[in-house]
Amino acid sequence: MAGLYIHIPLCTQRCSYCDFFSTTLLNKRVELIDALCKEMKMRAHYLPVDGNVLETIYIGGGTPSLLSSSEINILIDCALDSFPHVDTGKMEITMEANPNDLSDSNLKELSGTAINRLSIGCQSFNDTTLKIINRRHNAEEAKNAIANARKYGFNNISIDLIYGLPSQTIDSWKDDVATAIALKPNHISAYCLELHEGSLLTKKISKGELTEMDEADCLTCFKHLREATSASGYEHYEISNFAQKGFRSRHNSSYWHDIPYIGIGPAAHSYDGVSRQWNVSHLPKYLKAISENRLDTEIETLSVTEKYNDYILTALRTSDGIDFQYISNKFGTRFSDLAKEVAAKQQKDGNVEIIGEKCHLTEKGIFISDSIFTEFIVVEE
Amino acid sequence: MKNIRNFCIIAHIDHGKSTLADRLLEMTKTVTGKDLQAQVLDDMELERERGITIKSHAIQMDYAYTGDKAEFQSKEKYVLNLLDTPGHVDFSYEVSRSIAACEGALLIVDASQGIQAQTISNLYMALEHDLEIIPILNKIDLPGAMPEEVEDQIVDLLGCDRSEVIRASGKTGEGVDEILRAIVERIRPPKGDPDAPLQCLIFDSVFNPFRGIIAYYKVVNGTFHPGEKVKFVATGKEYLADEIGILRLDMEPRKEMSAGNVGYIISGIKTSTEVKVGDTITHVSNPCENAIEGFEEVKPMVYAGVYPIETEDFENLRASMEKLQLNDASLTFQAESSLALGFGFRCGFLGMLHMEIIQERLDREFDMDVITTVPNVRYNVYTKKGEMIEVHNPSGLPDITLIDHIEEPYIRASIITAAEYIGPIMTLCLGKRGELVRQDYVSGNRVELIYNMPLGEIVFDFYDKLKSISKGYASFDYHPSEMRESKLIKLDVLLNGEPVDALSTLTHIDNAYGLGKRMCEKLKELIPRQQFEVAIQAAIGAKIIARETIKAVRKDVTAKCYGGDISRKRKLLEKQKRGKKRMKQIGTVEVPQKAFLEVLKLD
């Protein structure tokens, strides 16, 4: 199996927490769609041949919901045309959407495309908080968007939430979670705020204009989220992801299970099982390269150690965890022996649980997972 | 002999000594443009970077006198031997031996900075040895130069005539010709009897991987030749003089070296400690009656533990130290072990700069990543049984119940500064247990403060603080004076209840509480948060006198990790892992290596 990611780096305004590559150069849109299609043709033979056929397409951003349904159709048709894929009915085709782009008319149009999964960027259901993070929708619009999407036949809906934001409290977060669950999305991605260098929020916090939620409160929010979602039948299957049965994100899961993927568009990353590569994070440079029939991309070929490290920091994010047998087969016993040794020590500290050949993070371990990954990974001198 | 001139240069760091020396070498065509790396004499990378001279050097120049004084007109060229000396207080004994080998000195003073403490103390040393002083006002091309004012200082200090001061610029070459003429005209030729029994004064040595240890000396009396048997008086060792000669840009062998000249001897010496600066070389067959005066065994002033980060690197570290010692006989080391740091060495250094240099050379030349502990001085500990034990490491202190009293080394310190900084400097010295002995006006508003102070108080952050409170306008010099009884106690540091021997210090009882508190605070900054809470405590014996707590990490998680984030995340975690590998595990607590040294850099 394999996945395709298409990056639409366009936004009408920037959210204050975001450090993803995007631009407000909306006038480049026609050129962009052409270039994306052309890149798909150029990468038509990117995937290794042995059975790697597309099962998922993910249109992310940026703000893909700024695109018209005909533009979306062009992209999806081109993708299906360029790459081997399973039967379209069996594919998961996701698009990220802003709540206020999901009006009746837009949804009607969207329902005519091949998109069968919507990932809606609600972030919060608190208007004060939404304003602080510079979202262009309000809580009411977010709630309506979900209900409307259902009305137009979308029965695989995911929503994004963020906690740890300035102005948020444990109580306001509990309200957010309750509101979210009441809307019965099939999938919830709930992210603890990360302050990225260069984001507007980081600047405001470092200037003292806004205050970050303290660590202990973030942890309380996280624990509440786990309890509440689990009580409503959601499975906590990755650090920040919760799904009703059968609704895990197939596309994102491929990132955590060492499955190849193709990334199309500026700043998009691709992985063929051996090397990773990423396109230039600059729209005009990207467009220029494609117009000259070349890819402006950097390539990193992974050593065994790096592949092992990648495996640790992705697989251990999931509730399935890492598999010592897999490590031994794929990277060698040097790595599986080390992983077992570290796992045993981490189990003593209550950070992981080992079951047979498998090992996954505990609730305690999840919130300090980066330091646990650091224990497992290997660096060459 | 009447055509030989031996001279050294006295200057403060950055007053332009090496640049001016380069001009002398150029002007006498000792070096050509091709050889002229900036600052020929500072040939260690470290020396050039820091702008200081660490090792003594010597170089011979030929000079055709261009002046108009009839008595110096000569068919033969003059032989000028420049003995370049280290300019730092750590190396004052080496400086004294170089001075003893000369008849004259160039006193270089930066026209924008004026006279500094180090300059004065070396100048006094030169005057004691009856050297002819040629005062030079350097860097007169600088916009900030104050030639009149600084000339006044020089005239005051030397009691010389204003016309004797030469104005020069190493940068533009101005005045360099005049300096060369003055060397010939004013400095007397060496005395000494070529027919007397041999006496050579060793002022430095270097290690050559093919030739062994090479000693640099001045022939004070007598004459000698290759193939003769010589004896080093202080060590009593005898050698065959395989090769002797003079020092140009490279060594140039000679068939004969006689009184007044400066040169080198290669005699197959393998161990640097056999060549002691200040020792006398004489003939085995016809030895001199007395050794040259002024020889001292150099004793380390400062001790610190040097430990490999990885325990298995201990033997590599030993090999590296041995190699370093070949080049630098003043470095001493002895194996020791620490509960916290494992096996390492207690090293003796001439001073703090020397210690820093060794640490940097270990890193650069031997790629040894080491932990250096907080330095301390040598203590004489008297037990109740009346024995005296020399202690070089606080954790080696006998049990408190067995100690009668402890003596610590004192220094006499000289600080020269502008009058407006006297207040804060006095406060600083008082905090370091200094006793003001004297306060003199040197010239204008420049004041010299003389203090008696415990050496242990200045080995650490005294320099830095002095510099910062005086905005750089204070210079400092010291000489060891005596051992004095002091009320010293051992201050221990505990991490989660475990004493960390490498963090123990000896301190005066009056400072113990304040120090303990500040050390805990500093460690709280230096030790990263861990997965559990870390208690940092300071203790005297069983009594805890201060505590700080490092809270456990509650949140260390990457919320989003999709396609594009994986490489970036891996690189970040790998970087963290590398940082972690450089930490020392003390009990369950991971401590960064720099913490062992920086713990006492208190603000």
Side-chain angles (χ1 to χ4, degrees):
Chain A
M1 82 175 272
L4 171 70
Y5 176 80
I6 303 174
H7 190 64
I8 308 297
L10 305 174
C11 288
T12 50
Q13 67 185 49
R14 232 166 131 67
C15 306
S16 66
Y17 52 84
C18 181
D19 77 326
F20 269 42
F21 173 65
S22 78
T23 165
T24 44
L25 297 169
L26 296 174
N27 57 347
K28 297 278 185 194
R29 154 171 180 178
V30 177
E31 222 182 313
L32 175 70
I33 301 287
D34 282 351
L36 293 173
C37 288
K38 195 165 163 193
E39 191 190 355
M40 286 193 245
K41 300 286 177 208
M42 289 163 77
R43 290 193 184 274
H45 302 290
Y46 178 79
L47 290 175
V49 281
D50 47 348
N52 285 301
V53 292
L54 288 195
E55 292 190 19
T56 63
I57 297 175
Y58 193 105
I59 307 175
T63 316
S65 52
L66 290 173
L67 301 182
S68 68
S69 55
S70 59
E71 288 166 325
I72 291 164
N73 279 332
I74 292 171
L75 290 173
I76 294 175
D77 288 348
C78 179
L80 297 176
D81 209 33
S82 306
F83 305 103
H85 56 87
V86 295
D87 185 27
T88 12
K90 289 185 180 155
M91 288 181 77
E92 175 196 277
I93 304 179
T94 308
M95 187 183 82
E96 288 179 350
N98 252 12
N100 53 356
D101 290 332
L102 297 178
S103 61
D104 276 283
S105 56
N106 279 352
L107 277 164
K108 197 175 167 198
E109 297 244 325
L110 273 181
S111 64
T113 68
I115 286 166
N116 57 21
R117 184 173 181 270
L118 284 178
S119 170
I120 304 175
C122 299
Q123 319 309 357
S124 166
F125 295 102
N126 181 306
D127 284 340
T128 314
T129 305
L130 287 169
K131 234 185 192 124
I132 283 179
I133 58 177
N134 204 29
R135 295 291 298 188
R136 55 186 167 96
H137 71 271
N138 61 32
E140 205 49 40
E141 284 172 311
K143 287 186 224 168
N144 289 341
I146 296 164
N148 270 347
R150 281 243 166 66
K151 206 167 76 188
Y152 286 96
F154 288 98
N155 50 24
N156 187 352
I157 293 175
S158 174
I159 63 168
D160 281 0
L161 295 174
I162 306 180
Y163 59 101
L165 288 166
S167 85
Q168 253 180 347
T169 61
I170 294 171
D171 284 339
S172 76
W173 172 246
K174 284 183 176 171
D175 290 344
D176 276 345
V177 174
T179 309
I181 289 173
L183 292 164
K184 298 196 171 63
N186 309 89
H187 184 277
I188 300 172
S189 296
Y191 304 109
C192 184
L193 175 70
E194 286 179 56
L195 287 173
H196 296 290
E197 212 179 317
S199 80
L200 191 64
L201 209 54
T202 308
K203 279 179 207 151
K204 288 194 166 177
I205 287 173
S206 64
K207 274 195 219 157
E209 289 169 23
L210 292 172
T211 331
E212 209 182 342
M213 188 186 274
D214 87 29
E215 287 189 5
D217 287 354
C218 287
L219 186 57
T220 307
C221 286
F222 172 68
K223 285 183 174 166
H224 172 76
L225 171 70
R226 263 175 68 95
E227 276 165 31
T229 49
S230 145
S232 304
Y234 290 86
E235 178 201 12
H236 185 195
Y237 74 101
E238 193 263 356
I239 289 179
S240 305
N241 287 287
F242 303 79
Q244 289 177 346
K245 198 166 167 38
F247 283 94
R248 287 188 184 194
S249 164
R250 283 159 62 196
H251 182 82
N252 287 339
S253 294
S254 65
Y255 297 131
W256 307 316
H257 290 103
D258 199 24
I259 292 163
Y261 51 87
I262 308 162
I264 298 293
H269 288 233
S270 301
Y271 173 58
D272 63 2
V274 180
S275 68
R276 296 188 188 281
Q277 50 174 274
W278 48 96
N279 290 342
V280 62
S281 296
H282 189 270
L283 184 55
K285 281 186 190 166
Y286 169 79
L287 294 174
K288 183 163 186 289
I290 298 291
S291 74
E292 293 165 0
N293 292 313
R294 58 184 176 85
L295 295 169
D296 190 343
T297 187
E298 277 182 73
I299 301 183
E300 168 191 56
T301 303
L302 302 173
S303 67
V304 176
T305 304
E306 286 166 332
K307 289 204 70 171
Y308 162 79
N309 290 347
D310 277 356
Y311 175 73
I312 291 292
L313 71 94
T314 51
L316 211 43
R317 295 182 66 84
T318 67
S319 57
D320 302 333
I322 52 170
D323 185 321
F324 300 123
Q325 195 56 54
Y326 180 88
I327 294 175
S328 161
N329 294 343
K330 190 126 190 197
F331 313 111
T333 49
R334 176 188 156 212
F335 291 99
S336 54
D337 289 350
L338 175 86
K340 278 182 194 166
E341 191 188 314
V342 176
K345 190 181 163 290
Q346 291 298 323
Q347 180 162 256
K348 247 185 233 162
D349 294 340
N351 295 329
V352 302
E353 188 181 5
I354 303 170
I355 300 169
E357 283 295 303
K358 293 196 164 195
C359 167
H360 66 267
L361 296 174
T362 60
E363 182 179 80
K364 174 169 179 256
I366 290 174
F367 230 58
I368 49 166
S369 49
D370 279 356
S371 38
I372 295 166
F373 299 158
T374 315
E375 296 295 331
F376 276 96
I377 66 168
V378 174
V379 288
E380 311 287 3
E381 285 307 323
Chain B
M1 208 187 323
K2 73 173 180 30
N3 274 23
I4 297 178
R5 297 292 183 272
N6 298 321
F7 68 101
C8 59
I9 300 180
I10 296 169
H12 192 69
I13 296 170
D14 273 345
H15 280 205
K17 176 179 73 165
S18 301
T19 313
L20 202 60
D22 286 353
R23 292 295 91 78
L24 297 178
L25 300 179
E26 267 177 59
M27 196 79 95
T28 56
K29 304 201 170 53
T30 312
V31 293
T32 55
K34 185 167 63 84
D35 300 317
L36 195 71
Q37 291 173 294
Q39 302 178 0
V40 175
L41 293 180
D42 290 347
D43 58 8
M44 238 188 275
E45 186 189 16
L46 207 58
E47 293 185 314
R48 259 186 239 120
E49 252 178 49
R50 293 189 169 217
I52 52 168
T53 306
I54 299 165
K55 295 280 293 172
S56 298
H57 300 262
I59 193 157
Q60 194 172 91
M61 299 167 256
D62 290 332
Y63 171 61
Y65 177 67
T66 56
D68 47 12
K69 295 198 176 154
E71 69 262 45
F72 298 109
Q73 306 290 351
S74 159
K75 264 188 222 147
E76 280 172 48
K77 283 187 176 176
Y78 282 85
V79 172
L80 311 185
N81 285 307
L82 164 60
L83 277 61
D84 192 24
T85 55
H88 192 272
V89 50
D90 286 4
F91 308 104
S92 46
Y93 174 70
E94 293 196 18
V95 177
S96 83
R97 295 305 81 203
S98 295
I99 284 176
C102 295
E103 285 78 40
L106 308 183
L107 170 68
I108 298 182
V109 182
D110 184 325
S112 65
Q113 305 276 322
I115 292 171
Q116 308 287 313
Q118 184 64 45
T119 323
I120 296 197
S121 87
N122 285 343
L123 176 69
Y124 286 158
M125 212 189 285
L127 290 171
E128 267 170 45
H129 285 85
D130 211 13
L131 263 53
E132 180 64 36
I133 309 293
I134 301 176
I136 295 163
L137 198 56
N138 194 25
K139 302 196 188 178
I140 52 158
D141 58 305
L142 282 189
M146 314 171 289
E148 304 298 328
E149 200 181 319
V150 179
E151 217 169 73
D152 282 345
Q153 289 176 13
I154 295 174
V155 170
D156 274 1
L157 190 69
L158 291 178
C160 65
D161 195 89
R162 195 169 263 279
S163 66
E164 289 174 48
V165 182
I166 301 174
R167 293 190 177 191
S169 161
K171 205 168 135 205
T172 64
E174 187 182 342
V176 175
D177 198 41
E178 200 184 333
I179 294 171
L180 285 167
R181 283 200 303 273
I183 290 170
V184 169
E185 291 167 4
R186 298 193 209 168
I187 298 174
R188 63 174 185 277
K191 288 181 212 138
D193 178 358
D195 302 320
L198 183 67
Q199 271 185 321
C200 303
L201 170 63
I202 299 177
F203 62 86
D204 197 16
S205 67
V206 294
F207 168 71
N208 179 306
F210 306 106
R211 321 276 328 242
I213 311 291
I214 302 170
Y216 294 172
Y217 55 83
K218 177 203 183 183
V219 187
V220 177
N221 282 305
T223 302
F224 79 128
H225 307 88
E228 290 172 352
K229 273 197 111 180
V230 293
K231 183 167 105 173
F232 287 24
V233 176
T235 61
K237 301 228 176 195
E238 295 179 5
Y239 311 93
L240 199 67
D242 292 334
E243 182 183 314
I244 60 174
I246 57 162
L247 297 150
R248 308 289 293 219
L249 202 53
D250 296 308
M251 294 181 287
E252 285 184 10
R254 289 285 183 273
K255 292 274 176 266
E256 182 180 281
M257 289 293 289
S258 67
N261 214 345
V262 170
Y264 69 90
I265 171 170
I266 297 173
S267 46
I269 302 174
K270 299 278 187 294
T271 319
S272 65
T273 45
E274 287 179 29
V275 181
K276 293 185 188 292
V277 170
D279 198 357
T280 306
I281 306 174
T282 189
H283 276 123
V284 173
S285 54
N286 178 24
C288 56
E289 221 168 280
N290 297 310
I292 298 160
E293 273 178 30
F295 173 74
E296 282 173 28
E297 285 279 356
V298 183
K299 269 198 157 183
M301 302 284 278
V302 174
Y303 295 84
V306 175
Y307 288 83
I309 303 263
E310 300 287 342
T311 356
E312 62 263 30
D313 283 336
F314 174 71
E315 283 306 325
N316 287 341
L317 180 59
R318 181 199 295 277
S320 308
M321 299 280 251
E322 280 168 356
K323 278 187 195 146
L324 267 184
Q325 205 182 39
L326 287 175
N327 247 314
D328 183 352
S330 52
L331 168 70
T332 65
F333 61 91
Q334 203 176 10
E336 71 168 7
S337 69
S338 148
L339 287 173
L341 302 176
F343 288 100
F345 298 95
R346 175 90 353 199
C347 300
F349 307 100
L350 298 178
M352 289 307 295
L353 179 72
H354 189 215
M355 172 171 139
E356 267 178 54
I357 288 164
I358 296 290
Q359 206 179 344
E360 265 197 71
R361 292 186 66 189
L362 279 173
D363 178 32
R364 286 184 194 207
E365 294 167 35
F366 300 95
D367 200 21
M368 291 295 316
D369 213 357
V370 295
I371 293 174
T372 310
T373 65
V374 168
N376 55 267
V377 298
R378 163 173 46 96
Y379 300 98
N380 289 347
V381 178
Y382 292 86
T383 64
K384 290 195 169 134
K385 285 182 182 163
E387 295 163 311
M388 195 276 277
I389 307 165
E390 207 178 285
V391 173
H392 297 165
N393 181 352
S395 62
L397 203 68
D399 192 89
I400 195 154
T401 55
L402 303 175
I403 299 174
D404 184 69
H405 68 277
I406 305 176
E407 284 179 353
E408 64 175 333
Y410 263 65
I411 54 159
R412 174 161 280 231
S414 150
I415 298 165
I416 295 183
T417 187
E420 58 261 42
Y421 302 114
I422 294 181
I425 290 176
M426 283 185 160
T427 311
L428 171 69
C429 292
L430 196 68
K432 300 283 188 186
R433 294 189 280 140
E435 302 158 2
L436 182 66
V437 180
R438 231 177 40 232
Q439 179 180 346
D440 296 320
Y441 274 82
V442 183
S443 73
N445 77 335
R446 296 168 65 78
V447 181
E448 183 180 25
L449 301 171
I450 305 284
Y451 271 95
N452 281 333
M453 282 171 98
L455 176 64
E457 294 283 350
I458 65 131
V459 293
F460 207 62
D461 56 353
F462 183 77
Y463 270 129
D464 293 343
K465 284 198 170 154
L466 182 67
K467 258 189 249 155
S468 79
I469 60 173
S470 65
K471 305 198 169 65
Y473 289 105
S475 60
F476 173 69
D477 184 44
Y478 68 84
H479 293 282
S481 54
E482 58 178 334
M483 293 298 285
R484 250 203 232 181
E485 184 176 340
S486 290
K487 283 196 171 143
L488 298 171
I489 48 155
K490 190 170 131 216
L491 185 65
D492 293 316
V493 172
L494 296 84
L495 291 179
N496 278 355
E498 296 275 334
V500 185
D501 55 1
L503 289 174
S504 294
T505 51
L506 271 190
T507 179
H508 194 265
I509 195 155
D510 294 344
N511 296 342
Y513 279 78
L515 183 67
K517 184 166 177 289
R518 282 177 299 152
M519 278 177 83
C520 289
E521 287 165 0
K522 188 76 184 186
L523 282 169
K524 188 179 176 179
E525 284 169 31
L526 291 166
I527 299 174
R529 291 166 65 196
Q530 329 242 327
Q531 284 182 25
F532 42 82
E533 192 174 281
V534 177
I536 308 166
Q537 294 165 306
I540 300 171
K543 190 175 164 202
I544 304 293
I545 59 162
R547 178 190 165 116
E548 289 287 335
T549 307
I550 303 174
K551 281 196 190 160
V553 175
R554 306 289 295 275
K555 179 185 147 196
D556 184 13
V557 56
T558 302
K560 283 192 181 188
C561 189
Y562 301 122
D565 305 312
I566 298 171
S567 293
R568 185 168 52 176
K569 194 70 217 170
R570 170 176 17 88
K571 281 171 193 154
L572 207 69
L573 292 176
E574 284 172 350
K575 193 174 154 203
Q576 275 171 19
K577 177 92 179 189
R578 287 200 178 90
K580 239 169 129 70
K581 278 179 101 172
R582 274 196 296 274
M583 299 219 204
K584 199 80 196 180
Q585 182 110 13
I586 309 253
T588 51
V589 184
E590 280 167 342
V591 183
Q593 63 186 104
K594 65 173 183 186
F596 293 94
L597 190 59
E598 286 191 3
V599 62
L600 278 195
K601 276 198 182 153
L602 305 166
D603 311 312

